[in-house]
C-alpha cells in the first residue's frame, strides 16, 4: 500500500488554509481521500503529478464528511473524470448528494443570531458558500466500521459530523484521521471542538482511535504526527473528559 500525503493551499472567505488530502494506491486502484475547496483541481493535479500520478488515474474518491473544505472540489473532479467512483458513509451520503439539507448549513443558520455585528458579514458569506456547493451522486456507501479491502479499514468516528469516517491501514499502522483529529502546535487536538456537531461523540471517537495500534497519524489540518501518539491521545481524552 502506497500512502501519499499532499498539501494544497486555499483562500476561503479571506483566510488561507493548508489542507492535507491523501492518496492510497493499492493494486489497480488509486483513491483520493477528500479533495479541498472548489477551485482546487489544478493544485490537486499538480501535486499528484509530483508523485507520478495523473488526475485521470484516480479510480475513487473517499469523502470523510460533507464539509466544504473536504468535498467542495468533488463536482469539478467528477466532471473531469466521469468514471471516478464516489465513496462515503451511509450517514453522510444524503448530505453529500443534497437529498438532505447540509447539517453544517443548519448549524451556521442557527448560530447566526448569536453572531456579533463584526462577524455577521462573514457568517452570511459562509452560509452562501455552503448553499453553493455543487452536489454529486454517491456510488458506494460504508456501513459501520467497514473493511473496504484487506488492507483498508473504514472507522466510524462521529462527532465532528454524525457520519464522519477515518481510515486505518492496519499493516502500515497508519491512521488517516481526517477531521476526527487535527495537529495544532505539534500536538493532536479535536477539530474545532466548539463547532463539533456532537463533542461527546467526538471524544468517544478519540477513545476509539486510541485503541488502535498507530505509528503515524495524518490529519487533514496540520499534517502528520509520528511521536508519542498514544500519550497524546491519552492527554487529549483527559482534557475533554
Amino acid at each position: 500500500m502506497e500512502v501519499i500525503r499532499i498539501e494544497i493551499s486555499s483562500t476561503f472567505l479571506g483566510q488561507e488554509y493548508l489542507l492535507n488530502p491523501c492518496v492510497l494506491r493499492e493494486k489497480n486502484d488509486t483513491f483520493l481521500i477528500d479533495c479541498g475547496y472548489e477551485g482546487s483541481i489544478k493544485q490537486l493535479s499538480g501535486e499528484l503529478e509530483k508523485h507520478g500520478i495523473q488526475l485521470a488515474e484516480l479510480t475513487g474518491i473517499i469523502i470523510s464528511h460533507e464539509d466544504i473544505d473536504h468535498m467542495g472540489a468533488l463536482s469539478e473532479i467528477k466532471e473531469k473524470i466521469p468514471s471516478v467512483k464516489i465513496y462515503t458513509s451511509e450517514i453522510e451520503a444524503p448530505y453529500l448528494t443534497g437529498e438532505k439539507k447540509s447539517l453544517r448549513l443548519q448549524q451556521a443558520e442557527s448560530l447566526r443570531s448569536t453572531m456579533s455585528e463584526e462577524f455577521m458579514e462573514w457568517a452570511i458569506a459562509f452560509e452562501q458558500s455552503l448553499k453553493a456547493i455543487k452536489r454529486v451522486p454517491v456510488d458506494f456507501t460504508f456501513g459501520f466500521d467497514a473493511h473496504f479491502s484487506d488492507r483498508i479499514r473504514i472507522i466510524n468516528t462521529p462527532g465532528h459530523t454524525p457520519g464522519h469516517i477515518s481510515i486505518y491501514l492496519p499493516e502500515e499502522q497508519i491512521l488517516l484521521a481526517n477531521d476526527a483529529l487535527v495537529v495544532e502546535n505539534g500536538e493532536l487536538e479535536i477539530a474545532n471542538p466548539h463547532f463539533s456537531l456532537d463533542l461527546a461523540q467526538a471524544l468517544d471517537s478519540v477513545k476509539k482511535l486510541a485503541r488502535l495500534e498507530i505509528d503515524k497519524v495524518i490529519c487533514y489540518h496540520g499534517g502528520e504526527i509520528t511521536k508519542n501518539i498514544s500519550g497524546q491521545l491519552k492527554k487529549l481524552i483527559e482534557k475533554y473528559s
Side-chain angles (χ1 to χ4, degrees):
M1 172 76 66
E2 186 177 7
V3 183
I4 301 167
R5 176 173 67 90
I6 61 178
E7 292 185 349
I8 57 174
S9 60
S10 297
T11 300
F12 178 68
L13 299 183
Q15 187 170 346
E16 188 167 337
Y17 296 90
L18 187 63
L19 309 177
N20 292 267
C22 285
V23 175
L24 303 180
R25 302 191 83 178
E26 180 187 41
K27 298 178 182 177
N28 297 321
D29 286 312
T30 302
F31 299 102
L32 176 66
I33 317 301
D34 293 332
C35 58
Y37 291 100
E38 183 178 3
S40 297
I41 190 167
K42 186 175 181 180
Q43 268 199 83
L44 277 169
S45 182
E47 290 299 313
L48 291 173
E49 287 174 6
K50 290 179 183 178
H51 297 277
I53 304 170
Q54 298 298 313
L55 188 71
E57 292 179 52
L58 294 178
T59 54
I61 303 174
I62 300 174
I63 299 297
S64 64
H65 63 296
E66 185 252 344
D67 276 347
I68 189 171
D69 54 335
H70 292 256
M71 57 86 62
L74 190 56
S75 65
E76 297 174 277
I77 300 173
K78 184 69 174 177
E79 187 175 329
K80 286 277 186 183
I81 318 168
S83 63
V84 74
K85 303 300 181 186
I86 311 301
Y87 302 79
T88 194
S89 71
E90 290 178 354
I91 296 173
E92 292 291 309
Y95 302 107
L96 211 70
T97 62
E99 293 172 50
K100 291 185 178 180
K101 184 177 180 178
S102 165
L103 288 174
R104 191 65 69 199
L105 176 58
Q106 292 182 49
Q107 181 189 45
E109 290 174 341
S110 69
L111 289 173
R112 193 199 307 167
S113 62
T114 68
M115 290 283 179
S116 66
E117 206 56 44
E118 178 185 359
F119 295 105
M120 187 60 68
E121 185 178 345
W122 184 94
I124 293 172
F126 181 58
E127 290 176 26
Q128 293 303 317
S129 297
L130 295 178
K131 291 175 182 177
I133 295 174
K134 296 173 183 174
R135 305 291 166 174
V136 298
V138 170
D139 297 291
F140 299 99
T141 58
F142 303 116
F144 191 80
D145 289 351
H147 281 76
F148 184 44
S149 73
D150 292 339
R151 300 181 64 183
I152 302 174
R153 283 179 56 193
I154 304 298
I155 310 292
N156 290 74
T157 47
H160 189 71
T161 65
H164 182 282
I165 55 174
S166 301
I167 296 171
Y168 179 59
L169 311 176
E171 290 186 21
E172 293 81 5
Q173 295 190 345
I174 294 175
L175 172 69
L176 309 184
N178 303 319
D179 271 7
L181 298 164
V182 297
V183 179
E184 292 181 356
N185 301 316
E187 293 195 350
L188 293 170
E189 178 56 270
I190 288 178
N192 290 325
H194 297 297
F195 294 99
S196 290
L197 293 178
D198 190 322
L199 186 56
Q201 271 194 337
L203 178 59
D204 285 342
S205 291
V206 174
K207 293 176 181 177
K208 184 179 187 178
L209 295 175
R211 294 194 289 268
L212 300 173
E213 294 290 331
I214 305 172
D215 286 337
K216 179 190 290 188
V217 179
I218 302 177
C219 299
Y220 196 69
H221 300 277
E224 60 188 57
I225 290 284
T226 57
K227 293 181 180 179
N228 191 28
I229 292 168
S230 61
Q232 289 197 42
L233 290 174
K234 182 180 179 181
K235 181 180 176 182
L236 191 57
I237 291 166
E238 290 173 351
K239 176 180 176 180
Y240 286 95
S241 291

